[in-house]
Amino acid sequence: GECDPTDGTVLSVGDVTNAYGLDYRVGTSMAAPVVTGTVALIRQYFEEGWYPSGIKGSGKKITPSGTLVKAIIMNGAQLVAGIQDNKVTVYSSEYDNTQNFGRVSLINSLALDGKNKLETKVYDRESITNDSLKNYNIRINTSGCDATELRVTLAWNDPASTQGCTNCVNNDLDLYIVRDGKTYYPNGLNKKDSKNNAERIRIPATNGQSFKVRVKAYNLATNSQKYSLVVSGCF
């Protein structure tokens, strides 16, 4: 939309004409440019050395992979109660077909000095072989940090599938977290996710708790698979 004019000008945007107002639009046509701009900011963040402190030039310059950028966007996405579709409210729950991982929110994705109190760890272009397991040990330290949960997101580029394949992942990687003998699974499930190449786990976390983040490779179609892993919270 456009800012309200002060001279009574009637604004025409597409097939909608409004006086003294902003044009209201929804859908993927509106979401796509917002996400595209977010992707550009994430790349700039790493290439200008903002990671990990949130201060420009304080860190090593990094060229993030596409899967890392994707994982960051999904990791910080926020739950919404619903959406408006043609001005009709549609109620939604996490990981459904309406919102999936939620609303994109960069302030909940990466540290920015003076703007938030969040810490993020990224592991990019990690490689894993068939039937192997990788462990990442995380201990919560809330000193100078106010995040109340641990978020972990795994993303990878799956090899092209064969014609006619449905609901299949060729290189199946599995994300799960273990704490005090309990296993947490991704995407709101109570078991491994064998259908998606993006997996996220959210767990409430308090100071001093320890978590084991695990990535397991299962039935790979190739010798190995690269992936990106994002962890956010207080460390």
Side-chain angles (χ1 to χ4, degrees), residues 5-212:
T6 58
D7 59 359
T9 302
V10 175
L11 304 179
S12 293
V13 182
D15 57 354
V16 178
T17 299
N18 292 326
Y20 295 110
L22 300 178
D23 185 35
Y24 177 86
R25 296 295 176 98
V26 298
T28 54
S29 295
M30 302 297 104
V34 172
V35 175
T36 301
T38 302
V39 167
L41 288 172
I42 292 173
R43 288 188 61 87
Q44 181 182 5
Y45 183 92
F46 285 96
E47 291 176 351
E48 292 185 350
W50 292 77
Y51 175 79
S53 69
I55 300 173
K56 183 177 180 179
S58 62
K60 181 181 178 182
K61 295 181 179 180
I62 302 171
T63 300
S65 69
T67 52
L68 178 60
V69 174
K70 178 180 179 180
I72 289 170
I73 289 175
M74 294 185 295
N75 193 64
Q78 300 295 295
L79 176 70
V80 295
I83 65 167
Q84 283 194 317
D85 185 3
N86 195 25
K87 299 187 179 181
V88 175
T89 300
V90 178
Y91 294 100
S92 174
S93 58
E94 197 170 31
Y95 305 116
D96 65 11
N97 287 333
T98 298
Q99 69 170 292
N100 208 317
F101 286 86
R103 173 180 57 83
V104 172
S105 176
L106 263 184
I107 201 66
N108 297 106
S109 302
L110 294 168
L112 194 59
D113 187 54
K115 299 296 183 181
N116 61 14
K117 295 181 179 180
L118 172 73
E119 295 175 325
T120 303
K121 295 178 182 288
V122 302
Y123 305 89
D124 198 14
R125 298 180 176 91
E126 297 277 279
S127 184
I128 192 169
T129 56
N130 193 40
D131 289 330
S132 62
L133 176 70
K134 286 203 171 183
N135 290 287
Y136 303 84
N137 295 317
I138 304 296
R139 184 173 178 81
I140 304 301
N141 181 358
T142 57
S143 177
C145 177
D146 61 8
T148 59
E149 63 180 0
L150 175 69
R151 288 174 173 244
V152 183
T153 300
L154 169 71
W156 71 97
N157 287 327
D158 199 52
S161 188
T162 56
Q163 184 176 0
C165 181
T166 59
N167 294 326
C168 59
V169 175
N170 288 309
N171 284 356
D172 186 11
L173 303 187
D174 296 308
L175 172 69
Y176 54 99
I177 298 176
V178 177
R179 180 175 69 85
D180 297 334
K182 182 177 180 179
T183 300
Y184 297 84
Y185 295 95
N187 300 348
L189 302 174
N190 57 9
K191 60 180 181 179
K192 69 190 294 289
D193 186 335
S194 299
K195 295 184 178 181
N196 297 290
N197 65 335
E199 302 182 4
R200 183 181 72 177
I201 300 175
R202 298 170 51 225
I203 305 175
T206 57
N207 190 50
Q209 288 185 321
S210 295
F211 299 85
K212 291 185 179 296

